[in-house]
Amino acid sequence: MEKAGDRPGLGPRCIALVGPYQSGKTTLLEALLCRCGVVPRQGSIAQANTIGDASAEARSHAMSVEMNVATAEFLGQRFTFLDSPGSIEFVQDQRAVLSACDVAVVVCEADPKKVPALQVILQKLDEFQVPRLLFINKVDRTDARIRDVLEMLQPASSRPLVLRQIPIWQDGIAIGFVDLALERAFLYREHATSEVIDMPGDLADRKAEARFHMLEQLADYDDALMEQLLEDLEPPRDRVFDDLRHDLCEGLITPVLLGSAERGNGVFRLLKSLRHDAPGVEETAKRLGAKPVPGSGCLAQAIKTLHTAHGGRLSLVRLLSGSLGDGDTVTGRAGQSERIAGMFTLMGSDQRKLTRAEAGDTVALGRLETIASGETIAEGKTAPQQLLDRPHMAPVYGLAVSVSDRKDEVKLTAALQKLIAEDPSLRLDHDAGTREMVLWGQGEVHLKVALERLASKFGVSAKTEPRRIAYRETIRKSASARGRHKKQSGGHGQFGDVVLQVSPRPRGSGFVFTDTISGGVVPKQYIPAVEAGVREYLGRGPLGFPVVDIAVNLADGSYHSVDSSEMAFKAAARLGMSLAMEQCDSVLLEPIVYIELHVPSEHTARINQIVSSRRGQLLGFDARENWPGWDTVRAHMPEAELQNLIIELRSATSGVGTFSYRFDHMAELTGRAAEQARATARAEAA
């Protein structure tokens, strides 16, 4: 059995691979593993033989739908690569990989349509304060000038993009590159290390100009380098490399590299840059604010929970300090202690058993049943300070889920809870208003994949349908009615008699029951039964929905000394309410939410149209704080119109728009929409 720490070279590093949808992250992971010698031949997405995206759901949808994990060594340096999905619907895994990585490799293309998606990712890196490199992929498929590409990408980045390489062009195709720090030229070799060549003569001026611009950008953070440039002195090469590493680690700049993951071009230089420039675990622990726990030999960050077919529950963790062995005890947020039952490195879906891990290692720990994703844990029995306490993403799309056989409901709930442990951006609600179980997520594909995984992983097939809206009804007029319940069937009969006064109350003020009985016409012991009967009736009014915002007063009545009972007065109250409500001019109410839609500014006019077409009331829009080129549109909108809003919103914004909302008030619903709601209620009651 191998020990994770028994390896030569530098300390283990954890590298996040992030980027927009279809930018080539999983292909880059495959190229990195091939270059490190983990696989003899680079697999491809098309042939479905990659280490990453090995799940049935990923291959069925031809996209990453969950984090891919792989560990490899390069020149004595151990790397764990965490490849996260690019789709905004699976962004929770992207957040997870950033919780303890040393550096992020942002994979992107020279495609202006993907700049908003790139900005979303870079904003998330800013939030987590993660150093990052930019890898411009598919350079073999573009003929755009690299200077123009950087001008296009720079508005998405809060950090200066510092070009470290320029392409060598031949007949409009990038056949190699010049490393501006090394001042060497390289010729691409497909799936092999690039070949060092003599600097082409026609590149001298372009190389000199690009290198000087790179040095000027570095000099913004190095006064001594600035003085050397002003005096036309060539800075020592070591100083340039030191500045590149320092500025990357401090998050001052974003170095930019070029390549083609599919052809394996530029991958060796990327690995070299990660080996020499990426911060180590000590710097990452400092960035996260990790503090030693008294009496503990290890501090670690839980990245993600996994449920495997044979190994049960696994917790993927990054060790920030100390060491940890199989069988050790760790303690989480709430002081709960767990004993590790198995320690593994992961290579896609494969596991390799370990006995011990050291600071910097990223490993999977078995059977930590109470440790959640995002939790900070420590060896021993003392609860550590939590390093990351960010709320999970709010859901934007929900479906009612159910099973054919009611006896399987417990099994369904248990399986969904396991899915939610793996992906906290899912949420399960038991809606008391509609009596439905609603599964919430980040979009249509997100929930579709979750339900596929529910069936394949846990053997539970669930049915889905659009969730019901919690409509209510109220009244516009006051009325009173007598409810008399009288029944004689041998022996004691049943008798209850009440006069009820029903009146409307202000919106949102709820239900109030009072009595103005005098002279004991309704004995006190029966008044609670009258209120109970009224409340039972309010569960379904004349329009078919729960009744709200009314006042009911018991004004009069009568009783029989022998035949009256609580049951009789409850029945009389229900009858009295039914008769009174017929005169009260009932009206349907629908929930209205306050919504904020976050979109690129170029799409704001279109989003305003979408809001208006969904019966929304626009309240205005403002520039989105700390998001250059984005707006936040504010509106009131019926909750019923949220059902597929996220699908239309993303279609109109190149897949990047999103929204958040909260309940605001109830409003009258009339016309065709009200009739449709009533027809649905009648059909369900039939």
Side-chain angles (χ1 to χ4, degrees):
M1 243 181 269
E2 180 188 356
K3 291 186 179 181
D6 291 348
R7 292 178 297 269
L10 305 173
R13 300 262 170 72
C14 183
I15 312 297
L17 302 182
V18 298
Y21 174 56
Q22 291 189 331
S23 58
K25 298 176 302 301
T26 303
T27 302
L28 178 59
L29 173 63
E30 194 72 13
L32 290 164
L33 296 177
C34 183
R35 192 52 49 86
C36 292
V38 173
V39 292
R41 181 174 176 273
Q42 183 173 326
S44 73
I45 301 294
Q47 295 176 13
N49 60 354
T50 52
I51 296 293
D53 287 356
S55 71
E57 295 77 28
R59 293 194 169 157
S60 169
H61 293 275
M63 63 184 289
S64 296
V65 296
E66 61 192 340
M67 180 195 305
N68 296 311
V69 184
T71 301
E73 284 196 11
F74 175 74
L75 300 180
Q77 170 72 60
R78 188 175 181 87
F79 292 110
T80 295
F81 297 104
L82 305 179
D83 166 32
S84 69
S87 167
I88 195 170
E89 296 195 22
F90 298 93
V91 75
Q92 178 63 38
D93 266 10
Q94 195 175 95
R95 291 160 65 101
V97 305
L98 300 181
S99 63
C101 69
D102 297 317
V103 70
V105 176
V106 184
V107 187
C108 68
E109 302 171 64
D111 183 351
K113 288 184 274 191
K114 293 191 175 180
V115 172
L118 175 64
Q119 185 178 8
V120 171
I121 291 163
L122 293 175
Q123 285 281 351
K124 194 57 59 182
L125 293 173
D126 288 348
E127 178 186 336
F128 282 81
Q129 299 180 330
V130 177
R132 75 292 310 253
L133 295 160
L134 200 68
F135 183 78
I136 300 179
N137 193 21
K138 306 179 186 179
V139 70
D140 55 324
R141 300 186 193 176
T142 181
D143 57 2
R145 293 195 315 164
I146 196 65
R147 182 183 302 173
D148 295 338
V149 173
L150 252 64
E151 287 180 1
M152 174 184 70
L153 299 178
Q154 183 61 69
S157 175
S158 62
R159 272 80 161 155
L161 301 180
V162 177
L163 191 63
R164 282 202 54 174
Q165 300 169 345
I166 59 172
I168 300 174
W169 299 104
Q170 180 177 300
D171 300 328
I173 299 174
I175 62 168
F177 65 95
V178 175
D179 189 306
L180 298 177
L182 277 174
E183 296 186 274
R184 289 181 188 168
F186 296 84
L187 196 64
Y188 288 138
R189 295 297 184 199
E190 191 158 340
H191 303 301
T193 304
S194 300
E195 176 187 346
V196 179
I197 60 172
D198 293 333
M199 185 74 64
D202 59 350
L203 267 182
D205 289 343
R206 190 155 65 94
K207 185 271 292 184
E209 179 186 356
R211 176 177 165 79
F212 185 75
H213 182 59
M214 178 189 75
L215 295 177
E216 280 187 316
Q217 289 177 292
L218 296 179
D220 287 339
Y221 310 102
D222 185 342
D223 293 339
L225 178 59
M226 178 65 76
E227 290 180 10
Q228 289 176 323
L229 295 182
L230 291 173
E231 295 173 5
D232 290 330
L233 297 175
E234 181 65 26
R237 185 173 294 172
D238 287 348
R239 184 181 197 92
V240 175
F241 281 114
D242 287 346
D243 276 354
L244 283 167
R245 184 187 192 281
H246 172 270
D247 294 352
L248 167 66
C249 294
E250 292 296 318
L252 302 174
I253 64 169
T254 300
V256 179
L257 305 175
L258 315 172
S260 167
E262 188 174 14
R263 296 178 180 272
N265 297 153
V267 174
F268 184 83
R269 300 311 307 178
L270 174 60
L271 282 166
K272 292 271 283 188
S273 182
L274 291 173
R275 184 176 186 273
H276 292 295
D277 299 339
V281 67
E282 297 85 359
E283 293 159 292
T284 299
K286 182 179 178 181
R287 170 171 59 82
L288 292 171
K291 296 179 181 178
V293 178
S296 173
C298 174
L299 189 69
Q301 183 68 29
I303 298 172
K304 185 176 174 66
T305 299
L306 308 166
H307 287 91
T308 63
H310 304 294
R313 180 179 173 123
L314 294 177
S315 299
L316 184 70
V317 306
R318 176 84 192 288
L319 273 67
L320 299 174
S321 65
S323 64
L324 202 57
D326 190 4
D328 286 352
T329 297
V330 295
T331 300
R333 177 197 303 266
Q336 77 279 24
S337 293
E338 296 266 15
R339 186 176 180 274
I340 299 169
M343 178 180 289
F344 311 89
T345 57
L346 301 182
M347 181 63 65
S349 57
D350 294 333
Q351 304 168 16
R352 185 170 61 189
K353 194 164 179 58
L354 301 172
T355 57
R356 194 157 195 86
E358 307 293 339
D361 281 320
T362 304
V363 296
L365 306 179
R367 308 294 175 87
L368 302 185
E369 301 293 339
T370 64
I371 303 299
S373 300
E375 206 164 325
T376 306
I377 61 175
E379 186 269 331
K381 296 188 177 181
T382 302
Q385 175 185 343
Q386 296 301 298
L387 301 179
L388 298 168
D389 199 14
R390 294 176 173 86
H392 298 309
M393 296 182 62
V396 293
Y397 184 77
L399 289 173
V401 294
S402 60
V403 286
S404 300
D405 194 332
R406 291 197 64 179
K407 73 175 187 293
D408 290 333
E409 284 186 0
V410 174
K411 187 178 179 183
L412 171 64
T413 302
L416 285 173
Q417 292 299 344
K418 289 182 178 179
L419 280 184
I420 292 168
E422 292 187 344
D423 181 359
S425 66
L426 292 168
R427 191 180 79 196
L428 185 64
D429 286 347
H430 294 268
D431 193 319
T434 62
R435 297 178 181 177
E436 290 179 315
M437 188 186 301
V438 180
L439 181 63
W440 290 91
Q442 302 305 313
E444 186 178 27
V445 177
H446 187 214
L447 287 195
K448 186 174 183 180
V449 169
L451 293 166
E452 289 171 359
R453 194 172 289 150
L454 190 72
S456 65
K457 215 173 199 181
F458 303 108
V460 180
S461 295
K463 300 183 298 182
T464 64
E465 58 185 3
R467 63 187 181 88
R468 301 188 193 106
I469 301 301
Y471 294 107
R472 297 291 183 263
E473 58 181 276
T474 191
I475 58 175
R476 291 188 175 125
K477 298 178 181 178
S478 298
S480 63
R482 178 180 292 276
R484 179 187 286 261
H485 177 71
K486 184 177 182 181
K487 191 173 182 182
Q488 193 73 38
S489 56
H492 288 304
Q494 298 179 33
F495 182 84
D497 177 35
V498 296
V499 175
L500 301 177
Q501 299 171 333
V502 182
S503 57
R505 300 194 72 214
R507 191 82 71 242
S509 58
F511 164 69
V512 170
F513 177 84
T514 56
D515 76 87
T516 52
I517 293 297
S518 61
V521 293
V522 175
K524 287 184 178 180
Q525 68 265 32
Y526 296 138
I527 292 177
V530 175
E531 180 177 355
V534 170
R535 288 185 179 275
E536 281 186 9
Y537 175 84
L538 295 182
R540 184 179 175 84
L543 303 182
F545 299 93
V547 182
V548 296
D549 301 336
I550 68 168
V552 177
N553 180 59
L554 173 60
D556 201 358
S558 62
Y559 75 102
H560 189 278
S561 59
V562 175
D563 292 343
S564 288
S565 65
E566 289 185 355
M567 184 175 67
F569 272 99
K570 187 184 289 188
R574 290 196 298 266
L575 178 60
M577 286 297 298
S578 178
L579 295 172
M581 289 289 289
E582 291 177 358
Q583 311 169 51
C584 287
D585 192 9
S586 295
V587 62
L588 196 61
L589 298 177
E590 67 172 339
I592 304 296
V593 301
Y594 170 79
I595 185 171
E596 291 186 345
L597 303 99
H598 309 294
V599 298
S601 301
E602 62 190 290
H603 301 298
T604 300
R606 172 67 183 131
I607 299 312
N608 289 342
Q609 293 173 359
I610 290 173
V611 170
S612 298
S613 71
R614 289 175 173 263
R615 301 189 290 130
Q617 177 189 357
L618 288 164
L619 303 176
F621 70 91
D622 299 295
R624 189 178 183 186
E625 188 176 358
N626 298 322
W627 283 69
W630 282 60
D631 288 334
T632 296
V633 178
R634 295 171 286 107
H636 282 144
M637 182 181 287
E639 185 182 348
E641 299 292 340
L642 297 183
Q643 293 277 31
N644 296 310
L645 174 62
I646 192 64
I647 298 173
E648 187 176 9
L649 177 63
R650 289 192 175 137
S651 175
T653 60
S654 301
V656 297
T658 190
F659 64 83
S660 59
Y661 70 95
R662 65 174 185 268
F663 171 79
D664 193 82
H665 63 278
M666 301 293 287
E668 288 189 12
L669 179 63
T670 58
R672 184 178 177 183
E675 188 51 46
Q676 287 177 339
R678 293 177 62 183
T680 300
R682 286 194 296 268
E684 290 172 352

